[in-house]
Structures are given as structure tokens and as C-alpha cells.
Coordinates of all heavy atoms in Angstrom, one line a residue:
I1 N 4.0 -135.4 -56.0 CA 3.7 -136.0 -54.6 C 2.3 -135.8 -54.1 O 1.7 -136.7 -53.6 CB 4.8 -135.3 -53.6 CG1 6.2 -135.8 -54.0 CG2 4.4 -135.8 -52.2 CD1 7.3 -135.1 -53.3
E2 N 1.7 -134.6 -54.4 CA 0.4 -134.3 -53.9 C -0.6 -135.3 -54.4 O -1.5 -135.8 -53.6 CB 0.0 -132.9 -54.3 CG -1.3 -132.5 -53.7 CD -1.7 -131.0 -54.0 OE1 -1.4 -130.6 -55.1 OE2 -2.2 -130.3 -53.1
K3 N -0.5 -135.8 -55.6 CA -1.4 -136.8 -56.2 C -1.3 -138.1 -55.4 O -2.3 -138.8 -55.3 CB -1.1 -137.0 -57.6 CG -1.4 -135.8 -58.5 CD -1.0 -136.0 -59.9 CE -1.0 -134.7 -60.7 NZ -0.4 -134.8 -62.0
K4 N -0.1 -138.4 -55.0 CA 0.2 -139.7 -54.4 C -0.2 -139.7 -52.9 O -0.7 -140.8 -52.4 CB 1.7 -140.1 -54.5 CG 2.1 -140.3 -55.9 CD 3.6 -140.6 -56.0 CE 4.0 -140.7 -57.5 NZ 5.4 -140.8 -57.6
V5 N 0.0 -138.6 -52.2 CA -0.3 -138.6 -50.8 C -1.7 -138.0 -50.5 O -2.2 -138.3 -49.4 CB 0.8 -137.9 -50.0 CG1 2.1 -138.5 -50.1 CG2 0.9 -136.4 -50.4
G6 N -2.2 -137.2 -51.4 CA -3.6 -136.6 -51.1 C -3.6 -135.6 -50.1 O -4.6 -135.4 -49.4
V7 N -2.5 -134.9 -49.9 CA -2.4 -133.8 -48.9 C -1.9 -132.5 -49.6 O -1.0 -132.6 -50.3 CB -1.5 -134.2 -47.7 CG1 -1.4 -133.1 -46.7 CG2 -1.9 -135.5 -47.1
T8 N -2.6 -131.4 -49.3 CA -2.2 -130.2 -49.9 C -0.8 -129.7 -49.5 O -0.3 -130.0 -48.4 CB -3.3 -129.1 -49.6 OG1 -3.3 -128.9 -48.2 CG2 -4.6 -129.4 -50.1
Y9 N -0.3 -128.8 -50.3 CA 1.1 -128.3 -50.0 C 1.1 -127.4 -48.8 O 2.1 -127.5 -48.0 CB 1.5 -127.5 -51.2 CG 3.0 -127.1 -51.2 CD1 4.0 -128.1 -51.1 CD2 3.4 -125.8 -51.2 CE1 5.3 -127.8 -51.1 CE2 4.8 -125.5 -51.1 CZ 5.7 -126.5 -51.1 OH 7.1 -126.2 -51.0
D10 N 0.1 -126.7 -48.5 CA 0.1 -125.9 -47.3 C 0.1 -126.7 -46.0 O 0.8 -126.4 -45.1 CB -1.0 -124.8 -47.2 CG -2.4 -125.5 -47.3 OD1 -2.6 -126.5 -47.9 OD2 -3.3 -124.8 -46.7
K11 N -0.6 -127.8 -46.0 CA -0.5 -128.7 -44.8 C 0.8 -129.4 -44.8 O 1.4 -129.6 -43.7 CB -1.7 -129.7 -44.9 CG -3.0 -129.1 -44.6 CD -4.1 -130.1 -44.3 CE -5.4 -129.3 -44.0 NZ -6.5 -130.2 -43.9
Y12 N 1.4 -129.7 -45.9 CA 2.7 -130.3 -45.9 C 3.7 -129.3 -45.3 O 4.5 -129.7 -44.5 CB 3.2 -130.6 -47.4 CG 4.7 -130.8 -47.5 CD1 5.3 -131.9 -47.0 CD2 5.5 -129.8 -48.1 CE1 6.7 -132.1 -47.1 CE2 6.8 -129.9 -48.1 CZ 7.4 -131.1 -47.6 OH 8.8 -131.2 -47.7
L13 N 3.7 -128.1 -45.7 CA 4.6 -127.1 -45.2 C 4.4 -126.9 -43.7 O 5.4 -126.7 -43.0 CB 4.4 -125.7 -45.9 CG 5.0 -125.6 -47.4 CD1 4.6 -124.3 -48.0 CD2 6.5 -125.9 -47.4
W14 N 3.2 -126.8 -43.3 CA 2.9 -126.6 -41.8 C 3.5 -127.8 -41.0 O 4.2 -127.5 -40.0 CB 1.4 -126.5 -41.6 CG 1.1 -126.1 -40.2 CD1 1.1 -124.8 -39.7 CD2 0.9 -127.0 -39.1 NE1 0.8 -124.9 -38.4 CE2 0.7 -126.2 -37.9 CE3 0.8 -128.4 -38.9 CZ2 0.4 -126.7 -36.7 CZ3 0.6 -128.9 -37.7 CH2 0.4 -128.1 -36.6
L15 N 3.3 -129.0 -41.5 CA 3.8 -130.2 -40.7 C 5.3 -130.3 -40.9 O 6.0 -130.6 -39.9 CB 3.2 -131.5 -41.2 CG 1.9 -131.8 -40.4 CD1 1.1 -132.9 -41.1 CD2 2.2 -132.2 -39.0
K16 N 5.9 -129.9 -42.0 CA 7.3 -129.9 -42.2 C 8.0 -128.9 -41.3 O 9.1 -129.1 -40.7 CB 7.7 -129.7 -43.7 CG 9.1 -129.9 -44.0 CD 9.5 -131.4 -43.8 CE 10.9 -131.6 -44.3 NZ 11.3 -133.0 -44.1
A17 N 7.3 -127.7 -41.1 CA 7.8 -126.7 -40.2 C 7.9 -127.3 -38.7 O 8.9 -127.1 -38.0 CB 7.0 -125.5 -40.2
Q18 N 6.8 -127.9 -38.3 CA 6.8 -128.5 -37.0 C 7.9 -129.6 -36.8 O 8.6 -129.6 -35.8 CB 5.4 -129.2 -36.7 CG 4.2 -128.2 -36.8 CD 4.4 -127.0 -36.0 OE1 4.7 -127.0 -34.8 NE2 4.1 -125.8 -36.6
H19 N 8.0 -130.4 -37.9 CA 9.1 -131.4 -37.8 C 10.4 -130.8 -37.7 O 11.3 -131.2 -37.0 CB 8.9 -132.3 -39.1 CG 9.9 -133.4 -39.2 ND1 11.1 -133.3 -39.8 CD2 9.9 -134.7 -38.7 CE1 11.8 -134.4 -39.7 NE2 11.1 -135.3 -39.0
S20 N 10.7 -129.7 -38.5 CA 12.0 -129.1 -38.5 C 12.3 -128.4 -37.2 O 13.4 -128.4 -36.7 CB 12.0 -128.0 -39.6 OG 11.8 -128.6 -40.9
K21 N 11.3 -127.8 -36.5 CA 11.5 -127.2 -35.2 C 11.8 -128.3 -34.2 O 12.7 -128.1 -33.4 CB 10.2 -126.5 -34.8 CG 10.1 -125.2 -35.5 CD 9.1 -124.2 -34.9 CE 7.7 -124.7 -34.7 NZ 6.7 -123.7 -34.3
L22 N 11.1 -129.4 -34.2 CA 11.3 -130.5 -33.3 C 12.7 -131.2 -33.4 O 13.3 -131.6 -32.5 CB 10.2 -131.6 -33.4 CG 8.8 -131.2 -32.8 CD1 7.8 -132.2 -33.2 CD2 8.9 -131.0 -31.3
T23 N 13.1 -131.2 -34.7 CA 14.5 -131.8 -34.9 C 15.6 -130.8 -34.9 O 16.7 -131.1 -35.1 CB 14.5 -132.6 -36.3 OG1 14.2 -131.7 -37.3 CG2 13.5 -133.8 -36.2
K24 N 15.2 -129.6 -34.6 CA 16.2 -128.4 -34.6 C 16.9 -128.3 -35.9 O 18.2 -128.0 -35.8 CB 17.1 -128.6 -33.4 CG 16.4 -128.5 -32.0 CD 17.3 -128.7 -30.9 CE 16.7 -128.5 -29.5 NZ 15.6 -129.1 -29.1
N25 N 16.2 -128.4 -37.0 CA 16.9 -128.3 -38.3 C 16.5 -126.9 -38.8 O 15.5 -126.7 -39.5 CB 16.3 -129.4 -39.2 CG 17.1 -129.4 -40.6 OD1 17.6 -128.4 -41.0 ND2 17.1 -130.6 -41.2
Q26 N 17.4 -126.0 -38.5 CA 17.1 -124.6 -38.9 C 17.1 -124.3 -40.4 O 16.4 -123.5 -40.9 CB 18.2 -123.7 -38.2 CG 17.9 -122.2 -38.3 CD 16.5 -121.8 -37.8 OE1 16.1 -122.2 -36.7 NE2 15.8 -120.9 -38.5
K27 N 18.0 -125.1 -41.1 CA 18.0 -124.9 -42.5 C 16.7 -125.3 -43.2 O 16.2 -124.5 -44.0 CB 19.1 -125.8 -43.1 CG 19.3 -125.7 -44.6 CD 20.5 -126.6 -45.1 CE 20.6 -126.5 -46.6 NZ 21.6 -127.5 -47.1
N28 N 16.1 -126.4 -42.8 CA 14.8 -126.8 -43.3 C 13.7 -125.8 -42.9 O 12.8 -125.5 -43.7 CB 14.5 -128.2 -42.9 CG 15.1 -129.3 -43.8 OD1 15.7 -128.9 -44.8 ND2 14.9 -130.5 -43.4
F29 N 13.8 -125.4 -41.6 CA 12.8 -124.5 -41.1 C 12.8 -123.2 -41.9 O 11.8 -122.6 -42.3 CB 13.0 -124.2 -39.6 CG 11.9 -123.4 -39.0 CD1 10.6 -123.9 -38.9 CD2 12.1 -122.1 -38.6 CE1 9.6 -123.2 -38.3 CE2 11.1 -121.3 -38.1 CZ 9.8 -121.9 -37.9
S30 N 14.0 -122.7 -42.2 CA 14.1 -121.4 -43.0 C 13.5 -121.6 -44.4 O 12.9 -120.7 -45.0 CB 15.6 -121.0 -43.1 OG 16.1 -120.7 -41.9
K31 N 13.8 -122.8 -45.0 CA 13.3 -123.1 -46.4 C 11.8 -123.1 -46.3 O 11.1 -122.6 -47.2 CB 13.9 -124.4 -46.9 CG 13.6 -124.7 -48.3 CD 14.0 -123.7 -49.3 CE 15.5 -123.8 -49.6 NZ 15.9 -122.9 -50.7

């Protein structure tokens, strides 16, 4: 995925955490 999107894994994790908090998805947030 990183090669296709051009975004590092740490930025992915940070934004995924924000997304999980906003959607109240505790399982994803924990992961």
C-alpha cells in the first residue's frame, strides 16, 4: 500500500486513529 499511496505508515496510523475516534470504533482504535 505505501508504494501506491505515497504516505508513510506512521501518518496512516495517526489518521486511522483519528478516523476510529470520530466513528467511535474502539476495536480499530485499540488495534
